[in-house]
Amino acid sequence: MNDMSEMSGSLRKRRLAPEDLASPQLLRLLLRLGLPAMFGLSINAAHHTINMVFVGMIGEDQIAAIMIVLPILMLIAAFGEGIGVGVATEVGRLLGAGNRSRAGVIASISLAAGVAFGVASALALVLFPDLPLFGATSAIEPLAQHYLMIIAISIPLTMAQIILDFLAIAEGNARFSMWTLVACFALNMILDPIMIFGFGLGLQGVAIATILSQIVALSIYGAYHARRLGMVRLTLDWRLADLRALRPVLAVGAPTTLTSLTTAGAIAIMVSLAGTYHGEAGIAGIGIALRLLAVGTLPVIGISLGAQSILSFAWGRGDMARVLSATRILTAVTSAASGAYGLMALAFSEHLASFFSDDAAVIGIAGQAIIATHLPLLLFGLRQTVLILFQAQGRPKAAIAVGLAQNGYLLFPLLALLPPFFGFSGLLAAMFLASALTGLLSAVCLVRSLSALRQRSTGHLTSIRPTPSFCP
């Protein structure tokens, strides 16, 4: 009996163990890491989409209220995502170099920093409840304020979950991250209608369901690390002087943080402009299009996150041929995924919008916005591949330049120029052009980076720089 119990425990532990990042079967490894991460983020997108469908059953004002609060939550989560990407990259390199103890210290410090920031952010929202909500109309501001006060409790939990997800992926255990996300979001989708309609809590029920599901996810991660099922060992055995280790983590994660910050700002501006031209229907229509866009982009981001651990590990070992091969495979997979979804959304734009609302004005606005946002999605895979490659190489400036393009320095000038002359059509044109130009920029950068990797992988080190110069 003891032998059978030991065998069962050993089998469970092997199933939860990280993948071998040095495996020679590169395509199989990328799929085993990328597909779980993709599935996990797809569940995330599905959860938020279904969530929006339930909210739409209450009314379009409730959809608009969530869209008003969303940029604030994104601004805060941006720092968690930056820390997550940074620590995942640093941990991947350290594991590739064989320094597991240092990887554990950096992971522990990063987790503590993220949770501390989350607590401070939640307290700020609670202590300053009259925070102005950009773009809110008089009809939706009370709804948004009440929702924000409850969802603020979840912010430290969100920060911890983001970082723990990235750590699991970094050590090659994307499967565990996937199943944890599946449990979290499945529970959330079950609790949403119960809280909204069963208990009659409306929009506040959405926030409570989110908090309860996050607690369950963090409990799963607590058991994972308590039983030491992964390679990274979280520890309290570090000093304040070790906080200096956050510097490279924050530097590598800066592109993701800044990208998310500019995205939050861009959403706030786009929502405000949509409300100016079409009121609550405009806000709801843009919100539906952006939610559907996340359904297409999050799986692609998930695939690339799974590949990031492979690229970081190979870069840490100095294996340029492996970095080149992984980048090529990632380019093909992400481009196929984003292109297929983009074409589907274009073909059924208004039909997809009708799932969220039965209001003809909202459906019409959403249909136009879906076309403007999803046509450039055909190039999104290139953008995500080059961004992950730059991060794995430790090139934060190049990653920032690519990451800030779509919702930053390309979008904001277009938003300033086009809507004043062309109204709502100018808003849609600005969204389309910023995304399309970012895709073209990414294509140029990717071609140059692949060329440099080919030279390094064949040993012609004297003819090129250690990393290719950033492209225009």
Side-chain angles (χ1 to χ4, degrees):
M1 180 66 72
N2 288 337
D3 290 342
M4 290 184 65
S5 177
E6 288 177 7
M7 288 177 61
S8 176
S10 176
L11 179 60
R12 270 197 313 272
K13 197 161 186 174
R14 284 199 302 271
R15 285 176 177 172
L16 294 174
E19 297 286 344
D20 177 13
L21 295 175
S23 169
Q25 298 175 306
L26 184 56
L27 177 58
R28 178 178 179 275
L29 177 64
L30 191 145
L31 292 176
R32 286 181 68 85
L33 291 175
L35 291 180
M38 180 191 75
F39 185 69
L41 289 186
S42 297
I43 291 293
N44 183 6
H47 150 247
H48 286 296
T49 304
I50 294 172
N51 196 24
M52 187 74 86
V53 171
F54 286 133
V55 172
M57 293 178 183
I58 309 174
E60 69 179 48
D61 284 356
Q62 281 72 17
I63 293 179
I66 287 183
M67 289 308 302
I68 292 296
V69 172
L70 180 62
I72 296 175
L73 300 179
M74 288 182 64
L75 284 170
I76 297 170
F79 292 94
E81 292 167 3
I83 293 173
V85 168
V87 72
T89 302
E90 288 299 305
V91 165
R93 289 183 193 149
L94 289 168
L95 292 177
N99 196 345
R100 292 176 61 176
S101 61
R102 185 61 178 169
V105 170
I106 290 181
S108 303
I109 295 172
S110 300
L111 179 61
V115 172
F117 179 81
V119 171
S121 301
L123 288 175
L125 291 176
V126 172
L127 293 175
F128 301 99
D130 296 327
L131 181 74
L133 296 172
F134 189 68
T137 65
S138 58
I140 63 178
E141 186 169 6
L143 291 171
Q145 286 282 10
H146 197 186
Y147 174 72
L148 182 59
M149 287 302 99
I150 298 176
I151 202 67
I153 300 171
S154 74
I155 291 174
L157 308 180
T158 299
M159 300 294 281
Q161 186 176 348
I162 289 172
I163 295 169
L164 289 169
D165 281 338
F166 275 103
L167 284 175
I169 294 171
E171 64 180 3
N173 209 343
R175 285 176 299 168
F176 186 84
S177 173
M178 175 191 73
W179 289 117
T180 303
L181 288 174
V182 168
C184 174
F185 297 134
L187 178 61
N188 203 329
M189 286 187 281
I190 293 171
L191 290 175
D192 271 340
I194 294 174
M195 294 293 176
I196 295 172
F197 305 111
F199 289 100
L201 295 175
L203 200 57
Q204 288 68 47
V206 177
I208 294 171
T210 298
I211 294 169
L212 293 176
S213 62
Q214 285 178 324
I215 291 173
V216 171
L218 291 176
S219 299
I220 295 173
Y221 270 119
Y224 175 81
H225 285 282
R227 296 181 62 186
R228 299 194 168 194
L229 296 175
M231 292 189 290
V232 176
R233 301 285 185 261
L234 296 179
T235 177
L236 296 175
D237 189 18
W238 51 272
R239 302 181 299 276
L240 289 177
D242 291 327
L243 289 175
R244 287 176 296 184
L246 280 175
R247 186 176 300 172
V249 170
L250 296 176
V252 173
T256 299
T257 298
L258 291 175
T259 299
S260 297
L261 288 174
T262 55
T263 300
I267 289 176
I269 294 173
M270 290 186 291
V271 164
S272 179
L273 288 172
T276 300
Y277 298 120
H278 291 292
E280 285 80 9
I283 295 174
I286 289 292
I288 290 170
L290 293 177
R291 185 63 73 194
L292 286 172
L293 184 65
V295 174
T297 57
L298 282 179
V300 177
I301 292 171
I303 295 172
S304 59
L305 287 178
Q308 184 182 35
S309 56
I310 300 174
L311 290 169
S312 298
F313 190 88
W315 189 265
R317 297 181 69 186
D319 190 345
M320 296 302 108
R322 189 173 178 85
V323 174
L324 176 61
S325 297
T327 303
R328 285 172 170 168
I329 295 172
L330 181 61
T331 301
V333 174
T334 55
S335 297
S338 61
Y341 180 81
L343 292 173
M344 184 276 296
L346 292 174
F348 303 101
S349 56
E350 291 199 357
H351 182 71
L352 291 171
S354 66
F355 283 108
F356 298 87
S357 176
D358 55 5
D359 185 282
V362 173
I363 293 173
I365 293 168
Q368 296 176 54
I370 288 170
I371 293 173
T373 54
H374 286 69
L375 185 57
L377 198 61
L378 304 177
L379 298 174
F380 182 76
L382 302 180
R383 181 254 189 195
Q384 195 59 29
T385 298
V386 78
L387 185 61
I388 289 295
L389 176 61
F390 286 162
Q391 288 171 344
Q393 292 174 325
R395 300 175 59 197
K397 292 181 180 179
I400 287 174
V402 173
L404 292 182
Q406 180 170 331
N407 292 312
Y409 61 83
L410 291 180
L411 178 63
F412 290 134
L414 291 169
L415 289 176
L417 291 172
L418 297 181
F421 292 99
F422 303 103
F424 188 72
S425 296
L427 170 61
L428 297 180
M431 296 166 67
F432 166 77
L433 288 173
S435 299
L437 291 173
T438 299
L440 295 176
L441 170 67
S442 301
V444 174
C445 291
L446 185 60
V447 168
R448 295 189 64 177
S449 296
L450 290 175
S451 176
L453 285 171
R454 276 195 299 271
Q455 293 181 53
R456 293 193 72 179
S457 65
T458 54
H460 300 300
L461 300 181
T462 58
S463 62
I464 62 167
R465 284 185 290 259
T467 56
S469 61
F470 181 66
C471 42

